[in-house]
């Protein structure tokens, strides 16, 4: 039975007021809970079991279930992270199977839980004074006078619905039951069908006991004495801001997935979350065409926006890809992943996308959702805006009121710790308050959907790299990366690999880099040497594609001994007249090894030798360091992040050069020593483009079962394509991904596979070790495909089952 709750006006009490009413009635009062995410995890011992072919299974027994986080737990042996861990169904053990340094694992003295490459629990350094947020040098903020957070002309009508805790089963969740429940915020009295925005929250505890204040995330429906935590009600401020301007906002509950995704999914719940979004869209499509229904005729499902928070961010990307597989897809025009995870590295072309990254994220502290932006930029030639925004002073949880101490009904916490951290601690002047964080979140979320779905281009400067801001964003500092639609930009040099029009000379180091040092092939240049992935969002290894190369850029280092260091990018015939564009743009960041001032000079050279030169530091803070902290875990700080920012040099400001005859762009050091990462050199003009369900061919991988064989061999796995390729495409294959059996039969490695033009299917060859030893059971290996070019990913996960063929 469907339950609807039509309500008029802004009737839902803020959680803080509701909590006060409950307290007055003699019931519980929510209290702020300390974040457990960075505290040592209690355990009762570990085991290391030998596996066939030299592998080892490491199991850590826990005193109590882990705190619920969106990040994936890892195991560290004697301080060294060995891989992502699989949680048991009861949440009381973690397991990793590995052959990585198997001998060292076998001799383990200590096993700990780690998060994002760091073992928590080290003593924090004492606090030091910190300044309040200030506008960095070179960051010229453009004040907009239309504010997306300001209420519009409509009152808000609530039309919530609830089909129960077991209303659906999701194939991506092993067909376990999940709820269909949503809060609906509609513009009262608005004429005709209205644009729809759907919100999906992330991974938080599913249930809590209102008397004991205990939480539970292993049972769904909730166990006796426990009730659901209403995470889906936590975005009311943003929902109302949109609804007053004529949008219907549907915020859906995903507790059933949260309670089971650690143990009953292959992908930590990404597909299940995408399927849940599609289930709700299907219901809305039915109801808007049902006479007499409260939503009849009120929903324009050709104009849909999706926002997903944390694991919900990966979920809405998956939903957009599932939608593209349909014969009659919904019109998903905008996708906004908020503080997202990205475990599998799919891309999302053809849909405008804005990734919001909180700098003080203590849960997904490596900002791995940056990969959505990086991986999609050149995956196909599309015609949409995409941007990635770093919000200084914001944590992971406080965009959602139900995850915020003092305003949530259920227990909640600040995900950042320690509290005395001088940059991100709760007492730091650089940290946004919870109210400030919700305000800036509302400004950018409402602004993005009104820009893309509503065509309100006044909000474009918030996302196009021109540093727009609005009054409701307050003192928040937001840094941007942006790639304009393909029809509005001229790509000169992506700088992902050598190109014929690019020369690099005279630097101490001038090489194309990718990934971290532990993940590059011999002879290649890593972008970073750190093991603290929270410092390097671009180069964080993906949980299910850890060996796949990530975010290649040009890495430069120079000193007083360098001889005329220079990057020269030549323009070809037909590219010389750049007057149709607004700016020369590129992404840049200071190298992680750089000390002191770092600056670059960028010069345009015309046919006659005329030049115009601009120093990056005069127009942008992109080469200044992000704030670092003295608080460390195991000697490693999570802050002082390396993150590229977009620099824009307006064409109109460049004098002394003939802009109808530009022949080259030069990049040279402007300080005696230093280092930088450089990427995406282009001319462009800001715009949005039109979002559609991607027409790119979707590549999927199928489960396969083979016999092991007696010696080295291969297993053939099939790739299916949703259509015929118009051009060649490439996918990256990862073998023995997290969750696999011992890597003894299938080695841990990655490799690219090129699928030829015209193909409708393909095969890949997975190396097998083979042996003549009797195994006690067949072995299963997770094989993933990711980071595509010339295509997109459909089903990116498959199991390779290797059967023992040796007689006992």
């Amino acid at each position: 039975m469907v339950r609807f709750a039509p309500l008029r006006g802004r009737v839902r009490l803020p959680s803080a007021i509701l909590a006060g009413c409950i307290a007055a009635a003699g019931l519980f009062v929510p209290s702020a809970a300390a974040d457990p995410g960075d505290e040592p995890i209690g355990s009762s011992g570990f085991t290391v079991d030998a596996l066939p072919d030299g592998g080892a299974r490491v199991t850590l027994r826990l005193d109590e279930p882990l705190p619920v986080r969106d990040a994936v737990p890892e195991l560290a042996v004697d301080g060294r992270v060995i891989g992502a861990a699989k949680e048991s169904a009861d949440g009381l053990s973690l397991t990793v199977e590995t052959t990585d340094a198997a001998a060292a694992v076998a001799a383990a003295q200590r096993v700990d839980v780690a998060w994002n490459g760091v073992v928590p629990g080290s003593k924090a350094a004492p606090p030091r004074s910190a300044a309040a947020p200030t506008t960095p040098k070179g960051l010229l903020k453009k004040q907009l006078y239309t504010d997306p957070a300001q209420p519009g002309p409509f009152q808000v009508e609530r039309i919530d619905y609830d089909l129960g805790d077991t209303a659906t089963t999701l194939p991506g969740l092993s067909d376990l039951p999940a709820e269909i429940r949503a809060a609906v915020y509609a513009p009262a009295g608005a004429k005709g069908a209205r644009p729809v925005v759907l919100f999906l929250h992330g991974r938080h505890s599913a249930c809590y006991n209102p008397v004991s204040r205990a939480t539970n995330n292993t049972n769904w429906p909730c166990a006796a004495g426990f009730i659901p935590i209403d995470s889906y009600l936590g975005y009311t401020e943003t929902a109302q801001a949109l609804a007053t301007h004529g949008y219907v906002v549907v915020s859906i509950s995903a507790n059933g997935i949260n309670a089971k995704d650690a143990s009953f999914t292959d992908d930590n719940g990404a597909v299940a979350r995408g399927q849940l979004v599609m289930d709700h869209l299907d219901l809305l499509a039915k109801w808007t065409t049902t006479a007499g229904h409260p939503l009849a005729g009120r929903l324009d499902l050709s104009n849909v926006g999706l926002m997903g928070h944390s694991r919900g961010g990966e979920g809405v990307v998956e939903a957009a890809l599932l939608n593209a597989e349909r014969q009659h897809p919904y019109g998903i025009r905008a996708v906004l992943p908020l503080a997202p995870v990205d475990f599998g590295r799919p891309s999302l072309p053809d849909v405008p996308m804005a990734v919001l990254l909180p700098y003080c994220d203590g849960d997904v502290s490596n900002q791995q959702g940056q990969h959505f932006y990086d991986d999609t930029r050149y995956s196909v030639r599309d015609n949409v805006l995409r941007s990635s925004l770093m919000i200084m002073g914001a944590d992971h949880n406080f965009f959602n009121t139900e995850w915020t101490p003092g305003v949530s009904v259920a227990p909640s916490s600040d995900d950042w710790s320690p509290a005395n951290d001088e940059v991100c601690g709760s007492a730091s002047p650089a940290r946004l308050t919870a109210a400030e964080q919700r305000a800036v979140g509302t400004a950018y979320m409402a602004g993005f959907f009104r820009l893309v779905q509503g065509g309100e281009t006044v909000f474009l400067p918030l996302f196009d790299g021109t540093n727009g801001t609005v009054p409701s964003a307050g003192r928040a500092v937001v840094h941007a990366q942006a790639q304009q639609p393909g029809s509005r930009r001229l790509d000169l040099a992506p700088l992902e690999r050598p190109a014929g029009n690019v020369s690099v000379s005279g630097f101490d180091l001038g090489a194309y880099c990718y990934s971290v040092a532990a993940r590059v092939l011999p002879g290649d240049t890593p972008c970073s040497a750190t093991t603290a992935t929270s410092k390097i969002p671009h180069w964080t290894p993906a949980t299910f594609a850890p060996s796949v190369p990530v975010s290649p850029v040009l890495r430069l280092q120079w000193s007083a001994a360098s001889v005329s260091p220079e990057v020269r990018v030549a323009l070809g015939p037909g590219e010389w007249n750049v007057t149709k564009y607004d700016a020369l743009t590129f992404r840049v960041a200071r190298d992680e090894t750089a000390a002191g001032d770092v600056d670059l000079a960028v010069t345009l050279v015309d046919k006659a030798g005329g030049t115009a030169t601009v120093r990056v530091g005069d127009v942008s803070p992109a080469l200044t360091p992000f704030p670092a902290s003295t608080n460390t875990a195991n000697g490693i700080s999570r802050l002082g992040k390396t993150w590229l920012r977009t620099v824009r040099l307006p064409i109109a400001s460049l004098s002394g050069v003939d802009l109808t005859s530009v022949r080259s762009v030069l990049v040279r050091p402007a300080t005696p020593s230093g280092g930088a990462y450089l990427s995406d050199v282009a001319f462009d003009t800001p715009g949005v483009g039109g979002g559609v369900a991607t027409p790119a061919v979707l590549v999927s991988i199928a489960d396969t079962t083979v016999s092991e064989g007696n010696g080295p061999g291969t297993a053939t796995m099939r790739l299916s394509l949703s259509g015929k390729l118009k051009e060649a495409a490439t996918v990256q294959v990862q073998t023995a991904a997290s969750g696999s059996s011992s890597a003894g039969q299938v080695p841990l490695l990655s490799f690219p596979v090129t699928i030829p033009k015209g193909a409708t299917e393909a095969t890949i060859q997975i190396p097998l070790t083979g042996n003549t030893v009797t195994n006690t059971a067949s072995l299963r290996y997770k094989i993933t495909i990711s980071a595509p070019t010339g295509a997109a990913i459909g089903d990116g996960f498959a199991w390779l089952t290797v059967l023992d063929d040796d007689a006992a």
Side-chain angles (χ1 to χ4, degrees), residues 59 164 193 195 233 264 275 292 306 311 333 352 382 393 404 444 504 510 556 589 633 642 662 666 680:
T59 301
L233 298 178
F264 294 95
Q275 291 167 340
L306 303 178
R311 290 199 188 185
R333 297 190 183 183
D382 61 8
T404 304
Y444 280 86
V504 182
L556 306 171
T642 298
V662 176
L666 311 180
D680 297 347

Side-chain angles (χ1 to χ4, degrees), residues 145 228 238 295 313 317 343 386 395 399 481-482 540:
Y145 295 99
T238 302
L295 292 172
V317 170
F343 297 139
R386 60 184 54 89
D395 78 345
F399 295 106
Q481 302 174 19
T540 296

